[in-house]
Amino acid sequence: MARVSMKVDGVVYEDHVEPRTLLVHHLREKLGRVGTPVGCDTSNCGACILHVDGESVKSCSVLAVQADGADITTIQGLDGGEGTDGAWHPVQTAFQEHHGLQCGYCTPGMVMAAVDLLRTNPDPTEDEVRHGLEGNLCRCTGYVNIVKAVLSAASELRGQGAHRGSFQDAAPAQAQPAGARA
Amino acid sequence: MTEQMDAGFVAEQIAEHPEAVHKPYAGGELGRGRRRKEDAKLLTGQTNWTDNITLPGLLHMSVLRSPMAHARVLSVDVSPALEMPGVIAAYSGRDLADVQGSLPCAWPVTPEMVHPDHSPLAVDEVRYVGDGVAVVIARDRYAAADALEAIVVEYEQLPAVVDMEAALAEGAALVHSDKGTNACFTWPFAGGADYAETLAGHPDAVVVRRRFRQQRLLPSPMEPRSVVVAPIAAADDYTVYSSTQIPHILRVMLALVTGIGEHKIRVIAPDVGGGFGCKLNVYAEEVLALVVARKLGRPIKWTESRSEHYQATIHGRDQIQDIEIAATPEGTLLGLKVELLADMGAYLQLVTPGVPILGAFMFPAIYKMDAYSFTCTGVFTTKTPTDAYRGAGRPEATYAIERIMDELAAELGRDPMDLRKQNWIKHEEFPFEMVAGLTYDSGNYEAATELAEQMFDMTALRAEQAERRARQDPVQLGIGISTFTEMCGLAPSRVLGSLSYGAGGWEAAQIRMLPTGKVEVTSGATPHGQGHHTAWSQIVADALGVPFEDVEVITGDTDSSPKGMDTYGSRSLVVGGVAIHKATGKVIEKAKRVAAHLLEAAEGDVEFAGGTFTVKGSPEASLTIQQVALATFAAHNLPEGMEPTLDSDYVYDPENFSYPHGTHLCAVMIDTETGFTKIRKYVCVDDVGKIVNPVIVQGQIHGGLAQGIAQALYEEAVHDAEGNLITGSMVDYLIPSAADLPHFHTGRTETASTSNPLGVKGVGEAGTIASTPAVINAVVDALRPWGVDNIDMPATPERVWRAIHDDGTLRVPSGTVSYGGAQTAATSGGAA
Amino acid sequence: MIPAPFEYVAPTSVADAVAALGEAGEDGKVLAGGQSLIPVLRLRLAFPSTLVDLRKVEELRGVRDDGDALVIGAMTRHDDVLRDPLVARHAALVVAATATVADPAVRHRGTFGGALAHADPAGDLAAVALALDASMVLEGPGGRRTVPASEFFVDYLETAMQPDEILVEVRVPKLQGQWGVHYEKFNRVAQAWAIVGVAVAVRRDNGSLAEARIGLTNMGATPVRARATEAALAGAPADVGSVKAAAASAADGTTPPSDLNGAADYRAHLARVLTARAVARAAGLTG
Ligand SMILES: Cc1cc2nc3c(=O)[nH]c(=O)nc-3n(C[C@H](O)[C@H](O)[C@H](O)COP(=O)(O)OP(=O)(O)OC[C@H]3O[C@@H](n4cnc5c(N)ncnc54)[C@H](O)[C@@H]3O)c2cc1C
Ligand code: FES
Ligand code: FES
């Protein structure tokens, strides 16, 4: 057993762990921080992405002991998690506005990866967003709306305002016209 | 509020807390792109995945799996595992033989179908890599994993059965030796005129044959399967949490398999992270967790790893399709002949044999023809069982017909779209009875195609293609079409009955009007990403005239939504949504009686619109539905003999399938030097009837496209000759990422279904069904100048390169190429 | 899946790390970024008794200028490499290849040294190290030694390192003169490892190609140099035709694997096509 101390979403936790304990399992099973899910065993899917000292990391491929002393932010601690008065991070808002999630399993990792992407590249092209998220697999959305969401959040974070989402704040004037394009 | 109403305590409270009082209904709820109610928890990490559930005293189960595709199990010694720290129990298949039962197959497609026993843990023989052999129960996940290594199993290897055709050959090794055959069933079907006679009557018929392979796919929802069973052993009472699409069916099946009373089992599907058909099943681990929890009286959790998922969760597709199409020299279709081999895998899961049978009705697609002949043989192999994967039978059929239409066009030297137009059902011909016996209620293939071609800019792309061909550009352009339809909304119960399916196709809904005017809706359709809670709220808000926010939808728990047939086959809206709509009608009917009574008007004079009851001719006399709900709750003044409730339920059995359709157009760029294919442009126009929430609909299409394209270009479950899955992890099973897929240009036309009151059709599978042939048609189109007339999926760079360079030298494009101009006069295409 | 148990130490100096590795014996293993090792442990394909984590060894991190060579510390992460101005200036080929490694999250943990020590022939950086004639500085109980890349990669996942040695740093000679570089990676999906990769540095001189260094990824059990093509390019005219002709021998002498992503003959073909493209790009003949 090794002693580890880490700050998770603003709270410091000290625990004894087996050295082989994966960070994501430590968070989920010991600390009850279950917002970060696991989707694979080969570091391919990105469902488990969170931030270690501000950078995106696949938490299934880090040992809890390697995170000793680290400052960890999960989807639950991103602005919008508990303790932040429900204010959402612009990336979270954009994911809803652009329907960038369906089942939501990839979403925590997708959002955390996107936040990191925009930290390092505040004004990405569509192609840069797509490549920036190449370590995150989503089986539901086909990515189009995820890409839109990230581009919109980027614009908002640059102070240029979010892009209009797909959703309608008001009821449509008439039932959907035939032959609508999107 | 009118004076007749006895306000009472609740009314006073409502008056004091105006925020609790309803806002008026603003209208326009149907067809509106509402933000999803589901998103808040999903976006903030507060989702309730099954693996998140923890209970006092929870134990973890792990499963030891066979490393061999086929072997006799000589002995299993679990005792060393029991010595390991933290281990509570360990059982072999033999230990559980008396209690584990046999996993169900609900679709015996023929009376003679070979239906082998399928024990959750193998007892005498293992039949695929991943077949369960023993389980360990330990205090934590890590200890459970460690103890598997201690179990000692002696196997005697038996021959693997990997190839379907070899499996059917004389003297082949048998998967189930006691059955004497590897053939599971043969299911013949025909429609219209006799195929052979039709051909005989047309000596000048042009006949094209191809062999298509539907490779095996791994469904791969991002959430792996997981089960938690919480027992109250003393009462023989169990709560089963499972990452499943089908809590209701699972409950029935768990009861039947284990002998526990159905009323003693509660099944909950918490938040489910995608299913795509693979969670439409009753799995060994669900039964084992229940059986072990019953034995130990302790809660049990099992969660699969991704590599386990790839071995032990059903696979999809896996068919060999021999397709023959016949047309007059002018291109009018005469008939279609389909011969299928469908790989069942080692056992029959819930609907394994039914999947190719569902497809039987879809091969004729949107085309008129005289004769149709179909036969399918199910084949056992020593591989993971197959079952429903997004589309289930229909993508396979659509692929075959849309591919062979292109081949026929090439053979006839016709434009592939022209040939389709010549043969499809015209808009004015609906309803139309198809050669396969279905009656398509509505459709407008012309409109969808026109819009798609406009969005695609077909003329410019064809011109560029011609230029690239002329200058022998190393990067070639190909254009692919898919004018698909599908049948969805499974299904009229009588049809399912006629196909020997074990259950009906109805769906249940219940509406509860709460005293404060809020509405609770329970639905038997169980979502796993599709946004049911949002869409159902819209339907209810629109029907009852209450605000969208005031509707709460409850799903996925056999206690709170006790009746249901769950979610698959693009059925939720067309069956479940309609059930809800019908249930609202009953609520309104009851409320109208109460309103008439309170307003002292004749029931016939009371009208309902926008959430308000008014009396004809005296507009000032009105009551909102919320007021009526409160009055009904108080029950102080109700019509004589009326039950004091507005709550209603409805079980809806559809009269017909629904038939979404659309036109998908795909342009690919092929690097002929490396074989790499990139999608240049993807346009689809889908007609899914009336739309409840266009944003959700578009999302469903997008996701479907990604999966269909993935089948065309990326994904394939590959087994070696010994039956090992060599694409056993996400390193080798290539799921495309955002960087690999293009933007999708989506459009829609709206031809209402005439078979249900909402005019809706299904959408969940459309993208998957339509896109695969569009992409492969584009690839083959690009390669046609090299004489390529087929390519196996996925069209990997290597396959594409070999198709071009199969004799080692680059063949030069023939230069002047119109559609199919490179094709020879031979009437039958080379089988791949 | 879950790793089997092991002991864990996190020393703070190279000397302590070497000592710890020595103490752990045969089954001790170095843990760097863990991006290759941890998945292997999770799949239970390896059972080390002790992991010696290098994360606290500060001296292994960072890049320094050492005259005619650049010295990259073994624990320098891929992401650090991508941002390092010295590497950008003197070893742009390393940057080009590193940018194609895995995805951003993996690059936040995976290290330059780990990628080389892992010696996966499908890894992108080994071919680069070979092409640039880099050398590996190893430290063991007997002190330090330097092994040229050409001798470092011994076999599939096997290097010249002894079990008790640690890769400390990598010396990458600076390219002197007018060099152009390019890394051409061919894979089926963006996140995947290379089916074939080609690392190229070419020097142009007076309208001809003076010198070329070409390292091939995944064309054998170890990274290999395309020596025949290099020879054919030396002094060749700087035009696409000459490059293509020279690249025809790119696969000579290689023993590429046959697997799901491609049979050996297809890989050999890819090596020729991609080499031509990479050289042309590096030489500025194509965009
Ligand atoms: C999803 C995914 C995709 C990837 N794609 C690519 C790719 O496209 N191209 C590519 O090149 N790589 C790829 N990688 C691998 C990545 O580059 C790894 O970071 C790298 O291979 C190993 O670096 P590491 O620091 O993580 O080493 P570790 O995983 O910690 O160690 C790897 C091995 O090297 C040994 N080792 C590490 N450092 C030292 C040292 N200093 N001295 C002695 N021995 C040492 C370890 O003992 C171990 O055996 C991918 C990884 C993942 C998870
Ligand atoms: S769970 Fe971490 S990458 Fe898949
Ligand atoms: S939303 Fe389901 S996996 Fe991305």
Side-chain angles (χ1 to χ4, degrees):
Chain A
M1 287 286 183
R3 192 179 168 77
V4 294
S5 162
M6 62 184 85
K7 194 176 190 179
V8 181
D9 296 334
V11 178
V12 176
Y13 297 84
E14 303 219 6
D15 289 278
H16 290 276
V17 299
E18 266 193 281
R20 61 169 164 158
T21 310
L22 303 176
L23 176 59
V24 70
H25 285 154
H26 180 60
L27 296 175
R28 293 179 55 82
E29 317 248 306
K30 193 101 167 211
L31 308 187
R33 307 294 294 169
V34 292
T36 306
V38 178
C40 74
D41 37 27
T42 47
S43 311
N44 287 94
C45 77
C48 65
I49 287 181
L50 42 67
H51 294 176
V52 173
D53 298 326
E55 292 176 329
S56 65
V57 153
K58 291 180 167 173
S59 63
C60 69
S61 309
V62 179
L63 302 174
V65 285
Q66 290 178 290
D68 184 30
D71 186 348
I72 290 165
T73 308
T74 76
I75 187 81
Q76 289 170 279
L78 195 63
D79 292 345
E82 356 85 342
T84 51
D85 295 333
W88 283 14
H89 187 282
V91 171
Q92 288 168 310
T93 312
F95 266 66
Q96 174 165 54
E97 287 302 316
H98 294 271
H99 191 28
L101 67 159
Q102 290 182 25
C103 79
Y105 201 79
C106 70
T107 307
M110 224 25 119
V111 167
M112 297 310 278
V115 169
D116 188 63
L117 169 69
L118 298 181
R119 174 181 65 84
T120 51
N121 183 359
D123 193 5
T125 61
E126 171 176 341
D127 206 48
E128 285 167 347
V129 171
R130 288 183 175 273
H131 278 277
L133 298 177
E134 71 190 20
N136 295 73
L137 300 178
C138 172
R139 199 58 161 163
C140 299
T141 64
Y143 306 105
V144 171
N145 290 343
I146 289 176
V147 174
K148 277 193 205 164
V150 176
L151 289 171
S152 168
S155 173
E156 184 170 6
L157 286 165
R158 290 195 308 273
Q160 292 168 310
H163 302 160
R164 218 183 73 79
S166 326
F167 293 95
Q168 292 145 314
D169 286 313
Q174 47 154 108
Q176 290 306 305
R181 287 178 182 209
Chain B
M1 228 176 257
T2 61
E3 278 159 35
Q4 293 95 326
M5 282 195 64
D6 182 346
F9 175 73
V10 175
E12 281 164 25
Q13 292 295 305
I14 289 176
E16 277 174 34
H17 301 283
E19 74 280 1
V21 181
H22 69 276
K23 295 183 285 264
Y25 177 57
E29 216 36 83
L30 286 189
R32 177 171 177 185
R34 277 284 188 187
R35 287 176 188 78
R36 294 203 322 167
K37 289 186 165 179
E38 291 84 347
D39 292 347
K41 66 177 169 181
L42 300 174
L43 277 165
T44 54
Q46 296 172 75
T47 318
N48 192 26
W49 311 119
T50 302
D51 188 58
N52 291 3
I53 293 167
T54 181
L55 297 164
L58 182 70
L59 300 177
H60 291 258
M61 180 171 88
S62 58
V63 182
L64 183 70
R65 300 186 181 280
S66 168
M68 286 177 211
H70 198 189
R72 201 158 287 131
V73 180
L74 301 179
S75 67
V76 180
D77 183 5
V78 298
S79 57
L82 294 169
E83 306 297 310
M84 306 271 292
V87 173
I88 306 292
Y91 306 103
S92 67
R94 188 149 291 143
D95 295 336
L96 298 179
D98 295 342
V99 290
Q100 67 176 347
S102 182
L103 296 175
C105 170
W107 205 329
V109 291
T110 62
E112 309 78 35
M113 181 185 86
V114 173
H115 187 173
D117 279 347
H118 185 187
S119 53
L121 284 182
V123 178
D124 300 315
E125 210 166 304
V126 286
R127 294 190 176 86
Y128 65 94
V129 175
D131 210 353
V133 178
V135 291
V136 168
I137 313 301
R139 284 176 54 189
D140 66 62
R141 208 187 279 271
Y142 282 47
D146 292 346
L148 292 183
E149 312 241 348
I151 297 173
V152 182
V153 186
E154 261 186 293
Y155 295 102
E156 179 193 321
Q157 190 152 8
L158 296 169
V161 181
V162 179
D163 179 81
M164 281 195 276
E165 288 178 300
L168 293 177
E170 195 72 26
L174 295 177
V175 179
H176 300 274
S177 49
D178 57 323
K179 304 294 183 195
T181 174
N182 286 323
C184 174
F185 64 86
T186 293
W187 196 86
F189 177 71
D194 182 77
Y195 180 81
E197 279 172 23
T198 305
L199 268 192
H202 289 83
D204 60 344
V206 178
V207 180
V208 174
R209 294 183 200 93
R210 289 289 182 281
R211 165 169 279 207
F212 300 128
R213 283 173 199 275
Q214 290 287 330
Q215 79 270 37
R216 218 172 233 260
L217 298 178
L218 308 177
S220 310
M222 291 314 298
E223 184 204 19
R225 288 188 295 124
S226 181
V227 190
V228 173
V229 179
I232 301 174
D236 209 20
D237 231 345
Y238 305 90
T239 300
V240 178
Y241 303 85
S242 183
S243 172
T244 181
Q245 295 172 226
I246 53 160
H248 300 92
I249 296 174
L250 181 60
R251 181 194 196 196
V252 178
M253 292 299 172
L254 286 177
L256 294 176
V257 171
T258 62
I260 298 169
E262 186 185 347
H263 59 308
K264 292 294 191 182
I265 300 175
R266 172 186 181 188
V267 178
I268 300 176
D271 293 318
V272 176
F276 313 112
C278 80
K279 294 177 183 172
L280 186 196
N281 231 305
V282 177
Y283 279 105
E285 297 83 1
E286 290 168 323
V287 172
L288 291 168
L290 177 56
V291 162
V292 169
R294 189 185 202 189
K295 250 182 186 304
L296 298 177
R298 300 265 306 262
I300 303 285
K301 178 193 278 189
W302 169 83
T303 300
E304 71 183 351
S305 69
R306 181 60 56 183
S307 9
E308 259 185 309
H309 175 84
Y310 281 173
Q311 290 186 350
T313 295
I314 63 98
H315 295 175
R317 315 278 190 262
D318 208 344
Q319 296 181 356
I320 296 176
Q321 309 173 305
D322 285 308
I323 310 291
E324 183 177 303
I325 195 163
T328 65
E330 295 72 41
T332 300
L333 294 189
L334 295 169
L336 181 68
K337 187 169 145 200
V338 175
E339 287 174 3
L340 295 188
L341 293 181
D343 194 338
M344 305 284 101
Y347 303 100
L348 302 180
Q349 285 276 358
L350 193 61
V351 299
T352 304
V355 169
I357 304 312
L358 268 180
F361 301 93
M362 285 332 288
F363 282 90
I366 63 172
Y367 307 113
K368 297 178 278 190
M369 60 185 77
D370 302 332
Y372 175 48
S373 146
F374 173 95
T375 165
C376 173
T377 299
V379 185
F380 288 112
T381 59
T382 54
K383 288 182 270 183
T384 302
T386 59
D387 205 306
Y389 171 56
R390 203 168 188 172
R394 292 157 293 157
E396 295 92 320
T398 304
Y399 179 81
I401 182 70
E402 289 302 301
R403 278 285 301 117
I404 200 108
M405 284 300 283
D406 263 33
E407 294 308 310
L408 178 63
E411 186 63 40
L412 294 168
R414 295 278 305 276
D415 174 286
M417 189 62 95
D418 264 4
L419 185 71
R420 285 171 168 82
K421 287 179 182 167
Q422 177 180 345
N423 287 289
W424 74 36
I425 307 159
K426 309 274 177 298
H427 180 51
E428 57 278 8
E429 290 173 328
F430 287 95
F432 191 88
E433 194 184 327
M434 290 299 299
V435 70
L438 300 170
T439 300
Y440 294 179
D441 61 348
S442 67
N444 190 341
Y445 309 139
E446 294 87 344
T449 300
E450 194 187 324
L451 179 58
E453 287 187 321
Q454 223 179 63
M455 290 168 66
F456 192 64
D457 205 352
M458 180 72 93
T459 320
L461 284 166
R462 282 286 184 210
E464 181 182 333
Q465 177 180 50
E467 271 169 39
R468 284 181 181 273
R469 285 181 176 176
R471 67 168 184 262
Q472 299 188 11
D473 197 297
V475 179
Q476 289 286 320
L477 173 66
I479 294 169
I481 299 171
S482 161
T483 49
F484 84 106
T485 190
E486 59 151 327
M487 56 193 249
C488 65
L490 303 182
S493 296
R494 68 189 151 75
V495 175
L496 290 175
S498 72
L499 294 174
S500 317
Y501 182 59
W506 47 263
E507 192 49 86
Q510 186 184 42
I511 312 260
R512 300 202 286 260
M513 292 298 298
L514 304 182
T516 56
K518 310 295 177 194
V519 187
E520 276 179 353
V521 181
T522 70
S523 168
T526 305
H528 37 284
Q530 300 90 340
H532 288 24
H533 289 214
T534 303
W536 289 187
S537 296
Q538 290 180 258
I539 293 173
V540 171
D542 184 71
L544 296 182
V546 300
F548 171 76
E549 297 76 18
D550 285 1
V551 183
E552 185 68 20
V553 178
I554 297 163
T555 54
D557 180 342
T558 59
D559 261 14
S560 51
S561 62
K563 255 175 112 73
M565 276 294 177
D566 306 311
T567 292
Y568 47 87
S570 301
R571 67 188 302 275
S572 288
L573 179 59
V574 269
V575 191
V578 172
I580 287 169
H581 185 73
K582 297 250 184 196
T584 59
K586 282 178 144 183
V587 171
I588 295 165
E589 215 175 283
K590 289 190 198 177
K592 197 180 244 179
R593 269 186 77 195
V594 177
H597 179 75
L598 294 174
L599 294 167
E600 295 179 331
E603 220 181 303
D605 291 339
V606 175
E607 292 174 329
F608 180 69
T612 305
F613 294 95
T614 49
V615 180
K616 255 185 235 163
S618 44
E620 70 290 352
S622 73
L623 277 174
T624 65
I625 192 162
Q626 291 93 340
Q627 288 172 314
V628 175
L630 178 60
T632 310
F633 165 74
H636 298 168
N637 181 14
L638 293 182
E640 196 53 40
M642 175 154 180
E643 262 186 280
T645 178
L646 301 181
D647 297 355
S648 296
D649 50 25
Y650 199 98
V651 179
Y652 173 69
D653 200 338
E655 345 163 342
N656 193 354
F657 295 92
S658 79
Y659 303 95
H661 68 81
T663 298
H664 288 221
L665 300 173
C666 175
V668 298
M669 305 302 284
I670 293 185
D671 178 344
T672 57
E673 291 178 350
T674 62
F676 193 86
T677 301
K678 193 173 171 59
I679 294 181
R680 153 103 165 254
K681 188 165 192 185
Y682 198 99
V683 164
C684 63
V685 173
D686 286 272
D687 191 323
V688 297
K690 287 279 181 204
I691 282 175
V692 175
N693 185 322
V695 186
I696 290 178
V697 163
Q698 193 196 37
Q700 288 292 310
I701 300 276
H702 283 171
L705 293 178
Q707 278 173 337
I709 292 170
Q711 173 170 19
L713 295 180
Y714 301 112
E715 297 178 13
E716 181 173 25
V718 183
H719 290 80
D720 67 13
E722 278 74 53
N724 298 300
L725 177 66
I726 49 181
T727 51
S729 80
M730 284 180 167
V731 175
D732 297 310
Y733 189 78
L734 301 184
I735 295 175
S737 75
D740 305 299
L741 291 172
H743 183 77
F744 304 132
H745 302 269
T746 59
R748 63 170 188 275
T749 54
E750 200 173 292
T751 311
S753 165
T754 56
S755 306
N756 65 68
L758 290 173
V760 295
K761 311 175 190 172
V763 66
E765 294 156 308
T768 320
I769 292 172
S771 57
T772 312
V775 176
I776 295 296
N777 278 339
V779 171
V780 174
D781 181 53
L783 302 182
R784 217 175 273 287
W786 283 273
V788 174
D789 61 13
N790 198 12
I791 192 156
D792 279 346
M793 294 190 289
T796 62
E798 184 178 16
R799 283 196 177 122
V800 170
W801 178 75
R802 288 196 192 283
I804 299 171
H805 304 253
D806 61 357
D807 57 1
T809 53
L810 181 68
R811 281 190 257 156
V812 179
S814 48
T816 53
V817 180
S818 60
Y819 308 112
Q823 196 72 9
T824 64
T827 50
S828 79
Chain C
M1 286 175 82
I2 290 153
F6 49 75
E7 300 290 321
Y8 172 85
V9 285
T12 53
S13 70
V14 174
D16 287 354
V18 170
L21 206 50
E23 235 166 77
E26 276 288 287
D27 295 329
K29 215 154 181 41
V30 168
L31 174 66
Q35 301 304 286
S36 291
L37 186 52
I38 292 173
V40 163
L41 297 178
R42 285 178 79 189
L43 296 171
R44 296 202 177 200
L45 300 173
F47 297 87
S49 58
T50 304
L51 289 193
V52 179
D53 187 351
L54 300 182
R55 75 187 175 95
K56 291 185 180 165
V57 187
E58 281 305 324
E59 56 192 294
L60 292 177
R61 277 179 209 283
V63 181
R64 64 172 203 278
D65 195 328
D66 192 23
D68 53 7
L70 209 57
V71 181
I72 304 178
M75 286 296 286
T76 310
R77 302 174 311 159
H78 299 314
D79 191 60
D80 301 329
V81 166
L82 288 178
R83 288 168 208 294
D84 192 277
L86 286 173
V87 184
R89 182 153 1 113
H90 300 297
L93 184 56
V94 174
V95 177
T98 302
T100 73
V101 169
D103 57 65
V106 170
R107 292 197 294 266
H108 282 142
R109 306 252 349 145
T111 65
F112 188 65
L116 297 177
H118 191 53
D120 189 324
D124 301 296
L125 300 175
V128 172
L130 193 67
L132 295 179
D133 290 328
S135 50
M136 321 294 165
V137 179
L138 312 177
E139 184 167 326
R144 291 202 176 192
R145 64 184 179 119
T146 301
V147 181
S150 56
E151 292 165 25
F152 183 75
F153 303 107
V154 175
D155 205 341
Y156 181 73
L157 303 183
E158 205 183 313
T159 70
M161 268 192 297
Q162 295 303 309
D164 55 0
E165 279 183 315
I166 284 174
L167 173 60
V168 176
E169 57 197 24
V170 183
R171 298 183 63 84
V172 185
K174 293 179 186 169
L175 294 173
Q176 313 284 355
Q178 284 284 312
W179 288 85
V181 300
H182 185 68
Y183 186 70
E184 184 78 22
K185 177 169 179 168
F186 189 81
N187 52 14
R188 287 183 53 205
V189 294
Q191 192 197 49
W193 296 73
I195 297 174
V196 173
V198 184
V200 168
V202 274
R203 187 162 59 83
R204 288 186 66 165
D205 195 13
N206 280 332
S208 64
L209 303 174
E211 185 185 355
R213 316 253 194 98
I214 304 171
L216 302 177
T217 299
N218 218 5
M219 286 297 290
T222 64
V224 286
R225 288 282 283 266
R227 295 282 184 199
T229 301
E230 291 180 358
L233 285 170
D239 60 58
V240 173
S242 313
V243 169
K244 276 196 176 160
S249 57
D252 291 6
T254 60
T255 50
S258 282
D259 59 28
L260 281 178
N261 290 312
D265 65 327
Y266 175 61
R267 279 199 161 87
H269 166 78
L270 282 179
R272 293 188 282 268
V273 171
L274 301 176
T275 298
R277 289 181 185 182
V279 173
R281 275 287 289 278
L285 302 174
T286 53

